Amino acid sequence: MRIGKQDQAYTAIATSDAESITVRGYDLCDDLIGQIDFSDYFWLLVIGQKPTPEQRKVLDACLVAIAEHGLVPSVQAARMTLAAGPDAWQGAMAAGLLGMGSVVAGSTEVSGRFLAEVMEKADADGTELETAAIASLMSLKAQRKKVPGLGHPQHSDGDPRANKLLEIADDLGVTGRYIETLHVLAKHAPGIINRPLPINVSGAIPAVILDAGWPLEALKAVPLLARTAGLAAHLYEESLRSIGFIMSHQADLAISYDGEAPESHTEKSA
């Protein structure tokens, strides 16, 4: 991306005048409000065209699969922020979204990019997808890195959300090369890494949504939108019966101090 003056300053998303509002080539009031559901609108906003029925169903399935995930760190951050500032919903929501890094929720993007890398390696090397997958897994093992999209601390026999999403993709006929790559990795990873590594939801979501036609560059938008819905539920509950300070207190009880005692500094200065 160029920094500084741009030759062309345009947007293809929306415009308005005194009589109308246009979004992606549609009149907002006449063509969209009351005429389109939110998943279709989300797809239209991001990509520029309405989804097919199959694409909409895949998107809906992915959003529902990860909208809620309990009291994960990002949710705790949001609830404790609201407890500290009850009037700052926007700040609490932002706190929750900022907590969606490469480990929680943002792992969807990490997994999607890894799938793309394996596919690109196969194309660049002129090898079979399986050969590229095995080489990528061996490289991760040598670097002592986790395999994106595989493994789960609780669902060691298989993540039920992932299984359902892959089943839906098959039923809708959208299964393609991303899902194929995911299955190849899942086939070889346990033997190479030497432990059970079932496909998890962070691996299934990018595979199915990318095969459905969603752009890799906008992949993070899917878990962000999904978790926004879950955060709204937690913040509403927090406003009715707060647990933010309870969680903070439990953290104080759970974490022990192992720094120096005041006496040690006194002895050193003496």
Side-chain angles (χ1 to χ4, degrees), residues 215-265:
L216 179 64
E217 295 78 10
L219 188 52
K220 188 174 285 185
V222 176
L224 281 172
L225 180 63
R227 286 297 173 84
T228 297
L231 285 170
H234 278 278
L235 294 179
Y236 176 55
E237 184 180 68
E238 183 67 25
S239 69
L240 298 178
R241 48 179 188 177
S242 179
I243 62 172
F245 286 112
I246 295 174
M247 290 189 291
S248 177
H249 177 61
Q250 292 299 317
D252 283 338
L253 296 178
I255 308 301
S256 300
Y257 176 73
D258 67 349
E260 293 188 12
E263 293 80 4
S264 62
H265 285 286

Side-chain angles (χ1 to χ4, degrees), residues 81-89 239:
T81 299
L82 192 68
D87 58 335
W89 262 64
S239 69

Side-chain angles (χ1 to χ4, degrees), residues 200-224:
N200 60 42
V201 73
S202 294
I205 285 177
V208 302
I209 199 74
L210 291 171
D211 270 343
W214 190 264
L216 179 64
E217 295 78 10
L219 188 52
K220 188 174 285 185
V222 176
L224 281 172

Side-chain angles (χ1 to χ4, degrees), residues 159-244:
D159 188 332
R161 300 165 300 174
N163 296 339
K164 186 64 177 181
L165 289 174
L166 292 170
E167 176 188 327
I168 289 172
D170 282 341
D171 292 342
L172 293 174
V174 302
T175 297
R177 201 172 180 214
Y178 280 99
I179 292 177
E180 179 189 1
T181 303
L182 182 63
H183 281 305
V184 171
L185 288 166
K187 173 185 174 183
H188 292 283
I192 293 174
I193 309 299
N194 298 318
R195 63 186 179 89
L197 287 173
I199 296 172
N200 60 42
V201 73
S202 294
I205 285 177
V208 302
I209 199 74
L210 291 171
D211 270 343
W214 190 264
L216 179 64
E217 295 78 10
L219 188 52
K220 188 174 285 185
V222 176
L224 281 172
L225 180 63
R227 286 297 173 84
T228 297
L231 285 170
H234 278 278
L235 294 179
Y236 176 55
E237 184 180 68
E238 183 67 25
S239 69
L240 298 178
R241 48 179 188 177
S242 179
I243 62 172

Side-chain angles (χ1 to χ4, degrees), residues 138-177:
M138 294 296 290
S139 176
L140 289 176
K141 181 179 181 179
Q143 299 174 67
R144 298 180 179 271
K145 291 184 176 180
K146 294 181 179 180
V147 182
L150 301 182
H152 198 284
Q154 185 177 19
H155 305 297
S156 56
D157 292 330
D159 188 332
R161 300 165 300 174
N163 296 339
K164 186 64 177 181
L165 289 174
L166 292 170
E167 176 188 327
I168 289 172
D170 282 341
D171 292 342
L172 293 174
V174 302
T175 297
R177 201 172 180 214

Side-chain angles (χ1 to χ4, degrees), residues 38-55:
F38 188 72
S39 293
D40 280 5
Y41 191 41
F42 179 50
W43 193 287
L44 172 65
L45 279 171
V46 175
I47 297 179
Q49 59 188 26
K50 293 180 180 180
T52 65
E54 293 77 17
Q55 289 172 327

Side-chain angles (χ1 to χ4, degrees), residues 91-159:
M93 183 70 76
L97 294 177
L98 288 171
M100 292 176 56
S102 59
V103 176
V104 175
S107 53
T108 295
E109 182 186 31
V110 175
S111 300
R113 292 193 178 279
F114 178 60
L115 293 175
E117 288 171 7
V118 174
M119 292 162 52
E120 290 168 3
K121 179 175 177 56
D123 294 339
D125 295 347
T127 62
E128 296 291 330
L129 187 59
E130 196 160 16
T131 302
I134 292 172
S136 297
L137 290 168
M138 294 296 290
S139 176
L140 289 176
K141 181 179 181 179
Q143 299 174 67
R144 298 180 179 271
K145 291 184 176 180
K146 294 181 179 180
V147 182
L150 301 182
H152 198 284
Q154 185 177 19
H155 305 297
S156 56
D157 292 330
D159 188 332

